[in-house]
Amino acid sequence: MQTNLINQTSFQEQIFNQINLPKQNFASKKFEDCQFIDCNFAQAEFKKCEFLNCKFKDCDLSLIKIIDTRFKDVEFCNCKLSGVDFTRVLMTKLFPLQIKFYECLLNYTNFSGLNLEKIVINNCVVIESDFGESSLISADCKGSDFAKTRFLHTDLRKADFRGAKNYSIDFKNNRIEKAKFSMPEVMDLLQFLEIEIEDY
């Protein structure tokens, strides 16, 4: 299976289990309705590839390079994706970036300037990442840790941050109309008002 992954260019409805190909270069490959389970692709490069309706579970994708690669209806569960620059993905109005993250490690990732409408980032660790100038309209960010993550001129309208923590969102420089937050974390938004709050 590992040799096939290197030599073939098109895959459909295949399950890749415990593939170990760190730093491998993948070019012009298409994966449709495939599953990747407990695979190691750390520091691999995916150039001009397509992932359509695929699922990654318990995979290490740290520091992967994704160049002109398309993701549609792709789900990551309990995966490591630290240090990934998503700004080089292939996306258009017809082919937006459609991904879901559940319980993933997304530290130091770059999502700046991207249309991430309705993205799912559930119960993830997203430390020191960048969502500047991006659109997270109706995003599902419940339960995630956004410590030191950058939100600047980010559209967060109708985004759901209930149960999320450590976010620093200046509502003067971001759009948060109809976004959902929960106590007590929502009180952190008041730090940008330059007011004093006394306990009773």
Side-chain angles (χ1 to χ4, degrees):
M1 181 65 74
Q2 189 155 300
T3 302
N4 292 343
L5 188 56
I6 296 173
N7 296 329
Q8 290 181 217
T9 58
S10 183
F11 306 87
Q12 190 169 18
E13 296 182 348
Q14 293 195 29
I15 298 176
F16 301 95
N17 193 12
Q18 296 184 329
I19 299 295
N20 186 38
L21 288 172
K23 300 182 180 180
Q24 178 69 40
N25 291 333
F26 301 95
S28 302
K29 296 185 183 293
K30 183 176 182 179
F31 302 91
E32 188 169 3
D33 297 305
C34 293
Q35 296 183 52
F36 300 84
I37 302 172
D38 194 20
C39 296
N40 179 15
F41 295 118
Q43 299 184 57
E45 178 180 284
F46 295 90
K47 186 175 183 180
K48 296 184 177 180
C49 296
E50 286 188 276
F51 293 91
L52 311 176
N53 196 33
C54 293
K55 294 184 178 180
F56 292 81
K57 184 177 181 181
D58 301 323
C59 293
D60 188 350
L61 299 149
S62 302
L63 296 172
I64 60 169
K65 295 180 181 179
I66 42 179
I67 303 169
D68 294 333
T69 289
R70 179 185 169 199
F71 293 90
K72 182 180 180 182
D73 295 324
V74 177
E75 180 179 306
F76 299 90
C77 182
N78 196 37
C79 293
K80 297 178 181 178
L81 294 118
S82 293
V84 178
D85 183 1
F86 282 93
T87 64
R88 302 188 69 183
V89 299
L90 178 65
M91 59 184 298
T92 64
K93 289 184 178 180
L94 291 177
F95 303 112
L97 180 63
Q98 296 178 335
I99 48 180
K100 297 178 180 179
F101 301 101
Y102 297 97
E103 299 180 337
C104 290
L105 193 64
L106 292 164
N107 297 342
Y108 315 110
T109 51
N110 185 9
F111 292 99
S112 61
L114 296 179
N115 180 3
L116 304 171
E117 187 171 337
K118 297 182 179 178
I119 192 173
V120 174
I121 307 175
N122 243 203
N123 296 304
C124 296
V125 178
V126 197
I127 296 175
E128 291 193 46
S129 295
D130 192 348
F131 291 94
E133 308 286 345
S134 61
S135 173
L136 279 81
I137 296 174
S138 300
D140 181 352
C141 300
K142 293 192 295 289
S144 292
D145 185 348
F146 291 97
K148 298 183 180 179
T149 284
R150 177 176 177 262
F151 296 96
L152 180 64
H153 302 145
T154 305
D155 195 338
L156 299 166
R157 288 175 293 171
K158 299 182 181 179
D160 193 342
F161 280 83
R162 288 176 294 179
K165 62 182 180 180
N166 296 325
Y167 47 77
S168 180
I169 301 173
D170 184 350
F171 54 83
K172 293 180 290 185
N173 292 310
N174 297 282
R175 300 195 65 176
I176 62 170
E177 298 95 308
K178 296 185 178 180
K180 297 178 181 179
F181 301 91
S182 55
M183 293 288 288
E185 289 80 12
V186 69
M187 298 300 292
D188 290 338
L189 299 180
L190 298 180
Q191 65 179 300
F192 299 102
L193 284 177
E194 300 180 4
I195 60 177
E196 294 183 11
I197 301 175
E198 292 186 3
D199 294 328
Y200 287 95

